[in-house]
């Protein structure tokens, strides 16, 4: 019997996950069916349970259910617990396993596809919401020389630093404290661009050879990418590769095989 998987979110119509997982399945000769489910805002748990009872083997979870999925899981990985969000559920015989592959999807995209080794580099994360929180542990595990978080609301950045105390060394700087500092990698984990707002970045923030990475993606260059280019970033990237990367890690958790993300990213870029 064909194993069933799904992505659940609200809204869900524009999700790329079904196309991604269909491509992975073809590439890896895995017999799976993957669908998109519109989760009712007040009925996430019931919806997951219905899918599981119907023989579902696992789910991807997206906005706005990642925190509810955390509560639903019987066992959690450390990276999911620290992210306080789950994007991957696997229905095992002994319960529901929850993980978060967003951060490792980001790090793999930066290190493998873009060939940028984080080890020993000065890294700045902009933002302290869910997207930033999910990336802290995987980025820290890649061994940067320094990991700094800056957020419009500084108290949220400080709360993140406290949360990761003893696990990841994080420095917090005020928004106006960046003048004169230089970073090799700047990751935009804010939603400013989605609201048509820009981030105040000082001149000189990008060290020679620096990479500016936006977790957001779109059909055209994002506002952060354009701003970074104007400030002299050597390379800029949107977050489409992160999307493919997190999906590949979910696929691996379910199927035990890790797909090659490059051709699938190319397929998305061409579509
Ligand atoms: P997500 O889960 O996508 O991270 P979130 O938890 O709402 O969403 O976090 C959004 C992030 O973008 C926050 O860091 C937010 O800053 P605040 O904590 O100060 O709200 C940041 N953000 C949103 N709009 C912004 C803007 N115009 N300028 C700077 N930061 C902004």
């Amino acid at each position: 019997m064909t194993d069933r998987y799904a992505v659940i979110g609200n809204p869900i119509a524009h999700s790329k996950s079904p196309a991604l997982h269909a491509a992975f399945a073809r590439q890896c000769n895995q017999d799976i069916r993957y669908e998109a489910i519109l989760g009712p805002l007040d009925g996430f748990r019931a919806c997951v349970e219905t899918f599981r009872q119907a023989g579902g083997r696992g789910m991807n979870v997206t906005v706005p259910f990642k925190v509810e999925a955390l509560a639903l899981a019987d066992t959690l990985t450390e990276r999911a617990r620290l992210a306080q969000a789950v994007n991957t559920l696997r229905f095992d015989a002994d319960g529901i396993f929850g993980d978060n592959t967003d951060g490792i999807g980001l790090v793999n995209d930066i290190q493998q596809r873009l060939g940028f080794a984080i080890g020993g580099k000065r890294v700045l994360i902009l933002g302290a919401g869910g997207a930033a929180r999910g990336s802290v542990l995987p980025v820290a595990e890649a061994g940067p020389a320094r990991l700094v978080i800056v957020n419009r609301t500084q108290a949220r950045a400080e709360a993140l630093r406290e949360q990761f105390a003893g696990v990841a060394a994080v420095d917090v700087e005020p928004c106006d404290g960046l003048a004169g500092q230089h970073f090799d990698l700047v990751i935009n984990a804010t939603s400013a661009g989605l609201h048509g707002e820009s981030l105040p970045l000082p001149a000189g923030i990008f060290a020679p050879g620096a990479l500016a990475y936006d977790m957001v993606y779109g059909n055209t260059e994002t506002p952060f990418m354009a701003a970074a280019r104007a400030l002299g970033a050597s390379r800029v990237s949107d977050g489409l590769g992160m999307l493919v990367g997190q999906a590949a890690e979910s696929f691996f958790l379910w199927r035990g095989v890790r797909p090659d993300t490059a051709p699938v990213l190319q397929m998305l870029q061409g579509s």
Side-chain angles (χ1 to χ4, degrees):
M1 226 178 75
T2 303
D3 288 337
R4 289 179 65 194
Y5 299 88
V7 58
I8 181 168
N10 189 332
I12 202 62
H14 297 293
S15 172
K16 296 186 191 296
S17 293
L20 284 175
H21 285 278
F24 291 156
R26 276 195 302 276
Q27 184 197 105
C28 301
N29 286 316
Q30 296 284 310
D31 181 21
I32 69 163
R33 199 168 104 212
Y34 189 106
E35 59 208 89
I37 296 176
L38 179 68
L41 291 177
D42 58 354
F44 170 73
R45 258 174 194 268
C47 206
V48 170
E49 204 42 50
T50 302
F51 184 70
R52 188 183 176 205
Q53 296 299 332
R57 302 290 302 273
M59 294 177 108
N60 281 129
V61 180
T62 187
V63 178
F65 299 123
K66 289 185 186 184
V67 177
E68 276 187 78
L70 181 85
L72 193 65
D74 301 304
T75 49
L76 286 171
T77 58
E78 191 195 18
R79 63 190 183 191
R81 188 178 57 75
L82 284 165
Q84 288 174 27
V86 156
N87 79 333
T88 308
L89 295 170
R90 193 181 63 212
F91 305 133
D92 294 339
D94 57 352
I96 300 180
F97 167 84
D99 197 359
N100 189 316
T101 63
D102 288 329
I104 194 66
L106 167 76
V107 167
N108 285 348
D109 195 43
I110 290 172
Q111 299 206 121
Q112 292 169 13
R113 181 177 68 90
L114 297 170
F116 183 98
I118 293 173
K121 301 289 187 359
R122 294 160 292 182
V123 179
L124 172 63
I125 296 178
L126 303 169
R133 192 169 55 229
S135 66
V136 170
L137 183 67
V139 169
E141 283 177 343
R146 188 167 181 236
L147 177 55
V148 176
I149 297 183
V150 165
N151 192 45
R152 179 177 60 181
T153 311
Q154 194 179 331
R156 286 185 84 191
E158 281 161 4
L160 264 196
R161 180 184 57 200
E162 297 313 310
Q163 191 204 333
F164 284 89
V167 181
V170 172
D171 288 340
V172 171
E173 297 276 5
C175 283
D176 57 5
L178 290 176
Q181 299 202 41
H182 317 289
F183 292 89
D184 306 296
L185 171 62
V186 180
I187 299 168
N188 177 31
T190 76
S191 53
L194 297 175
H195 312 307
E197 293 154 3
S198 59
L199 296 164
L201 288 173
I205 189 88
F206 294 103
L211 169 65
Y213 191 100
D214 199 343
M215 288 197 191
V216 171
Y217 60 86
N219 294 329
T220 53
E221 189 165 85
T222 67
F224 171 73
M225 289 164 74
R229 216 187 274 284
L231 284 173
S234 300
R235 302 172 70 189
V236 298
S237 176
D238 72 7
L240 194 62
M242 173 182 174
L243 177 84
V244 179
Q246 62 78 29
E249 292 300 311
S250 296
F251 191 89
F252 172 70
L253 286 168
W254 295 326
R255 309 302 300 179
V257 277
R258 194 172 262 119
D260 179 3
T261 52
V264 179
L265 178 60
Q266 262 172 21
M267 175 194 86
L268 277 192
Q269 284 167 334
S271 66

